[in-house]
Amino acid sequence: GEVMEREREFAVVYESFAKEFPKLKIIMEHISTIELVQLLDKYDNLYATVTLHHLLYTLDDVIGGGLNPHNFCKPIIKTKRDREAIEKLVLSGNKKVFFGSDSAPHLKENKEKSGGAAGIYSAPVLLERLTEFFVDKKKSDLMEDFFHNNSMAVYNLELPNKTINIIEDNSVVPDEIDGIVPFLAGENLKYKIS
């Protein structure tokens, strides 16, 4: 199928697996369409991860005002309607959805060429920008579940005895880190890990 439709078309595969193997936990990694959001609650054994870039961006951020190869990833970032469905899902507190980083540190030269690499280098800003997202939406009570509690429960893992402190602190995302352009390069962050 076409690049914008592949994930939508794959929904029938997830659905067939969910029906055929009802005791198998199936994780739909890095969902980016409204169809997979809707499919999530249709089957008890379907779960999903959401990336920062699919939560914040639409296709306009990739090709809207000119091509931005640093926002090109797969699954490709979709429409406003898809992004809004993903945001609503994350803010619903659904225990079957959790964070998936999908951070891909491709060198700038490999992104800015014909046939450039797919992937977004989001690791340097993940927790800081997700914190801002949840605080801005007045849903900071959902952060820990989305960051780790939901996934730990799905995978039957025990949470390590660690604490991450995130504090308010304005900073600017660097334009480049070791030859790699990070997600949100040049933009302001309201939080940092202390």
Side-chain angles (χ1 to χ4, degrees):
E2 295 177 5
V3 70
M4 288 292 287
E5 301 306 319
R6 287 178 192 154
E7 185 176 322
R8 296 180 211 286
E9 292 168 1
F10 200 77
V12 296
V13 176
Y14 281 131
E15 193 159 14
S16 69
F17 287 165
K19 285 179 190 173
E20 189 153 346
F21 306 103
K23 293 183 179 177
L24 178 67
K25 290 180 181 177
I26 300 166
I27 315 296
M28 301 183 294
E29 291 283 354
H30 316 315
I31 64 171
S32 66
T33 65
I34 191 170
E35 288 81 4
L36 291 192
V37 168
Q38 293 166 342
L39 189 61
L40 182 65
D41 280 331
K42 198 170 173 185
Y43 298 95
D44 290 342
N45 58 336
L46 283 182
Y47 301 84
T49 67
V50 171
T51 72
L52 176 63
H53 41 281
H54 289 105
L55 183 61
L56 298 182
Y57 276 8
T58 68
L59 192 57
D60 277 355
D61 296 296
V62 184
I63 58 173
L67 176 64
N68 183 340
H70 302 288
N71 290 342
F72 170 58
C73 62
K74 289 187 179 176
I76 192 129
I77 295 170
K78 307 287 188 310
T79 67
K80 180 181 178 187
R81 183 171 167 257
D82 292 306
R83 193 209 61 76
E84 287 172 346
I86 290 166
E87 177 181 301
K88 185 177 177 184
L89 172 67
V90 168
L91 294 176
S92 75
N94 188 315
K95 299 292 186 194
K96 294 173 67 183
V97 65
F98 44 95
F99 178 59
S101 67
D102 196 26
S103 186
H106 296 292
L107 290 171
K108 181 178 180 180
E109 63 204 49
N110 293 331
K111 293 287 288 176
E112 296 179 356
K113 68 179 186 178
S114 178
I120 293 176
Y121 184 39
S122 55
V125 299
L126 289 175
L127 291 180
E128 297 88 341
R129 189 58 183 87
L130 278 168
T131 298
E132 185 176 331
F133 170 81
F134 281 104
V135 170
D136 285 353
K137 300 294 181 184
K138 298 182 177 19
K139 293 279 189 173
S140 56
D141 58 310
L142 300 177
M143 286 191 325
E144 282 190 66
D145 285 346
F146 182 70
F147 287 165
H148 55 73
N149 290 343
N150 294 349
S151 58
M152 299 300 274
V154 169
Y155 292 116
N156 295 318
L157 299 172
E158 286 191 33
L159 198 60
N161 190 18
K162 286 185 176 182
T163 302
I164 296 173
N165 293 314
I166 300 174
I167 61 170
E168 286 189 57
D169 182 78
N170 287 318
S171 63
V172 176
V173 180
D175 290 331
E176 205 171 300
I177 300 170
D178 298 325
I180 303 162
V181 176
F183 187 52
L184 307 173
E187 293 189 25
N188 290 319
L189 290 177
K190 295 179 183 177
Y191 298 90
K192 78 170 184 176
I193 298 170
S194 67

